[in-house]
């Protein structure tokens, strides 16, 4: 029999305490802000039919050609672990006939095959919001501000917001042809992938990280030079609203994002503290995606944010040495039932409580309380039961005092608050 591998797969990670608690805190900040903005949570499958992502992201995108975890199930169906959130959300909205417009948010794991490095994993956690059925440039600006406010709420001060417009179906073909002609003269500078992009989607060359390709597009025609009047007006209104909100931002004419479904507004958040993998997240408008999925002509705009990089960029707040946990300690077997009842009572009052049923000595129970990082121990012995009191020990200070049994929840809350 082959030896069982005892390490996690490459590109994955374990969130163990206290990091797991920090992940939950960041997710909760996001959920709170999303719900304040009128978004409701949607939970979609971890895997979808492969066509969902090929149709939305584009056959020539790096996501589809290089990064997807795709497989056939036992029924010979082509399935893919979700590499991003928007396509699954759009599919779910149409399949479940949700009323439009609607605002949705998601939280969960996603999967892309790539070279693992700092802040980049093959299984990664992402949060995002989608405003479906809203075509106003004011919605674009509100969502851009949402991401900025999320980072600000986490104490991230070095976040730069980059904004661009890549046009629409009316004006993009003109830019596409100008871009193709420009790159044909520079074919020898392009990598193998960009030679393919040159024929399929020249705009993607802007997104290439190969240095020779980056140099080749230094003076390339940009999408904003070819915007039609409607796209130009839309972009100007987005920028005006960002200015009105006081959100610092900068133009990036080469910001196209790596997915085919974007049009008009694209944006990205860049952190100065992360090195090469400096993007915290980004998004844009996708006014054709729902129609491409067989739905009605419906505008949409959204943002996706990577939690691992967000946690790297956010200042680490000191983790409390002691958790808000009360550990109930029984002195003899006769008090175990009372200890169970007290733990249930505390939990009913909204206080985390734990009992060690295995330790037969008080010393062992105190060791368990220390391992659990409990804030206090509530001790029950024959004398306490006879007097109708409990002994409450503060494990941070070592002080111990008797409290009336009827007031134990209030006393524990006061100790937590102190």
């Amino acid at each position: 029999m082959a030896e069982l591998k005892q390490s996690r797969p490459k590109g994955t990670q374990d969130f163990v305490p206290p990091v797991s608690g920090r992940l939950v805190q960041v997710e909760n900040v996001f959920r709170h802000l999303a719900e304040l903005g009128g978004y409701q949570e949607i939970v979609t499958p971890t895997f979808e039919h492969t066509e969902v992502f090929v149709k939305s992201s584009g056959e020539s995108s790096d996501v589809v050609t290089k990064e997807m975890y795709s497989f056939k199930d036992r029924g010979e169906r082509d399935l893919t672990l979700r590499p991003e959130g928007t396509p699954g959300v759009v599919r779910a909205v149409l399949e479940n006939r949700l009323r439009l417009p609607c605002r949705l948010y998601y939280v969960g794991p996603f999967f892309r095959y790539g070279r693992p490095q700092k802040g980049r994993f093959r299984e990664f956690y992402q949060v995002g919001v989608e405003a479906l059925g809203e075509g106003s440039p004011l919605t674009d600006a509100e969502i851009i501000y949402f991401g900025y406010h999320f980072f600000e709420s986490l104490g991230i001060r070095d976040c730069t917001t980059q904004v661009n417009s890549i046009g629409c179906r009316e004006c993009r073909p003109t830019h596409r042809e100008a871009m193709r002609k420009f790159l044909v003269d520079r074919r020898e500078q392009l990598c193998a992938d960009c030679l393919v992009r040159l024929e399929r989607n020249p705009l993607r060359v802007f997104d290439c990280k190969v240095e020779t390709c980056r140099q080749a597009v230094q003076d390339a025609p940009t999408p904003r030079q070819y915007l039609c009047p409607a796209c130009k007006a839309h972009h100007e209104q987005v920028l005006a609203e960002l200015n009105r909100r006081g959100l610092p931002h900068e133009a990036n004419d080469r910001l196209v994002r790596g997915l085919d479904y974007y049009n008009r507004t694209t944006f990205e958040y860049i952190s100065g503290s992360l090195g090469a993998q400096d993007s915290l997240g980004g998004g844009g408008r996708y006014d054709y995606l729902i129609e491409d999925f067989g739905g009605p002509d419906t505008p949409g705009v959204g943002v996706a944010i990577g939690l691992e990089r967000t946690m790297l960029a956010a200042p680490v707040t000191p983790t409390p040495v002691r958790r808000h946990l009360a550990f109930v300690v029984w002195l003899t077997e006769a008090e175990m039932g009372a200890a169970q009842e007290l733990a249930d009572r505390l939990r009913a009052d909204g206080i985390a409580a734990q009992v060690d049923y295995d330790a037969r000595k008080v010393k062992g129970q105190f060791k368990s309380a220390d391992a659990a990082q409990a804030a206090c121990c509530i001790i029950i012995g024959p004398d306490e039961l006879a007097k109708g009191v409990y002994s409450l020990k503060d494990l941070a200070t070592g002080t111990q005092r008797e409290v009336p049994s009827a007031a134990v929840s209030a006393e524990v809350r006061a100790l937590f608050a102190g």
Side-chain angles (χ1 to χ4, degrees):
M1 181 181 292
E3 183 180 353
L4 179 67
K5 288 187 177 293
Q6 298 294 327
S7 60
R8 61 182 180 268
K10 186 177 182 179
T12 64
Q13 58 184 325
D14 297 313
F15 289 96
V16 299
V19 179
S20 55
R22 189 162 174 250
L23 177 67
V24 171
Q25 288 175 347
V26 172
E27 289 178 349
N28 287 342
V29 170
F30 170 81
R31 281 191 167 94
H32 174 68
L33 294 178
E35 290 175 5
L36 287 179
Y39 296 87
Q40 299 179 81
E41 185 165 13
I42 183 171
V43 181
T44 61
T46 307
F47 57 90
E48 299 267 3
H49 292 290
T50 299
E51 180 62 19
V52 168
F53 302 112
V54 174
K55 190 175 185 65
S56 59
S57 301
E59 291 185 2
S60 64
S61 68
D62 284 353
V63 170
V64 172
T65 60
K66 298 179 180 180
E67 299 176 347
M68 294 201 315
Y69 278 96
S70 298
F71 58 95
K72 285 186 181 292
D73 69 4
R74 295 188 179 186
E76 290 298 302
R77 289 171 285 260
D78 291 315
L79 302 173
T80 295
L81 297 178
R82 59 187 186 188
E84 54 151 334
T86 302
V89 170
V90 170
R91 191 269 313 148
V93 166
L94 292 175
E95 185 172 347
N96 293 280
R97 299 181 179 180
L98 295 190
R99 184 176 177 179
L100 297 171
C102 65
R103 290 188 164 198
L104 302 169
Y105 75 86
Y106 59 85
V107 176
F110 295 82
F111 309 84
R112 291 190 188 184
Y113 187 88
R115 184 168 63 88
Q117 49 191 294
K118 181 181 178 182
R120 182 177 181 178
F121 298 90
R122 292 174 176 171
E123 180 188 39
F124 56 96
Y125 284 78
Q126 211 171 67
V127 295
V129 301
E130 312 286 356
L132 302 162
E134 298 187 37
S136 170
L138 300 182
T139 303
D140 300 24
E142 183 182 295
I143 284 184
I144 295 171
Y145 180 79
F146 170 87
Y148 175 82
H149 183 41
F150 170 65
F151 298 128
E152 193 176 49
S153 299
L154 295 173
I156 299 174
R157 305 298 180 208
D158 67 343
C159 180
T160 301
T161 306
Q162 298 184 348
V163 186
N164 193 24
S165 176
I166 58 174
C168 67
R169 285 176 175 173
E170 300 300 320
C171 53
R172 195 181 298 170
T174 308
H175 173 257
R176 176 192 177 101
E177 182 57 23
M179 187 73 172
R180 190 190 68 79
K181 289 179 179 179
F182 177 87
L183 292 173
V184 163
D185 295 335
R186 294 161 176 79
R187 294 178 66 98
E188 68 281 357
Q189 294 178 250
L190 302 181
C191 68
D193 288 336
C194 282
L195 287 174
V196 176
R197 293 170 181 140
L198 173 60
E199 302 302 324
R200 293 184 177 181
N201 188 351
L203 194 66
R204 287 201 179 284
V205 180
F206 278 131
D207 210 34
C208 186
K209 302 299 186 288
V210 176
E211 186 57 32
T212 56
C213 297
R214 294 168 70 94
Q215 291 297 323
V217 297
Q218 280 294 316
D219 300 316
T222 62
R224 281 205 302 159
Q225 294 173 299
Y226 292 83
L227 296 182
C228 63
C231 286
K232 185 176 181 181
H234 186 101
H235 188 56
E236 288 174 350
Q237 290 179 64
V238 171
L239 298 182
E241 177 63 12
L242 294 179
N243 289 331
R244 188 194 69 78
R245 288 174 174 268
L247 193 160
H249 58 278
E250 60 184 38
N252 181 351
D253 285 330
R254 288 163 178 75
L255 177 59
V256 297
R257 305 288 292 164
L259 304 166
D260 275 359
Y261 54 71
Y262 285 122
N263 69 291
R264 288 190 170 173
T265 305
T266 57
F267 60 92
E268 197 160 76
Y269 307 101
I270 304 298
S271 170
S273 61
L274 295 182
Q277 297 297 322
D278 58 358
S279 175
L280 297 175
R285 180 158 285 283
Y286 48 88
D287 292 336
Y288 311 122
L289 187 55
I290 292 180
E291 185 179 3
D292 289 344
F293 271 44
D297 181 7
T298 308
V301 60
V303 62
I305 295 168
L307 291 190
E308 286 88 352
R309 294 184 195 174
T310 296
M311 291 169 66
L312 284 173
V316 179
T317 54
T319 304
V321 176
R322 295 290 175 181
R323 297 164 56 203
H324 285 179
L325 170 69
F327 213 94
V328 183
V329 175
W330 44 276
L331 298 187
T332 70
E333 293 276 353
E335 291 85 51
M336 184 181 284
Q340 289 176 281
E341 290 176 5
L342 176 57
D344 288 342
R345 185 174 130 202
L346 291 169
R347 293 164 186 158
D349 287 342
I351 297 170
Q354 186 174 337
V355 181
D356 186 341
Y357 300 116
D358 293 319
R360 293 305 170 196
K361 295 183 178 179
V362 173
K363 184 177 180 181
Q365 294 180 65
F366 273 102
K367 284 184 177 179
S368 296
D370 196 52
Q373 296 179 305
C376 64
C377 282
I378 304 172
I379 303 159
I380 302 177
D383 293 342
E384 282 80 9
L385 288 179
K387 294 193 292 183
V389 299
Y390 299 118
S391 292
L392 179 62
K393 183 171 184 176
D394 185 335
L395 294 180
T397 64
T399 58
Q400 183 171 322
R401 57 193 172 86
E402 288 186 348
V403 299
S405 59
V408 64
S409 291
E411 294 289 343
V412 170
R413 285 198 187 92
L415 185 147
F416 288 171

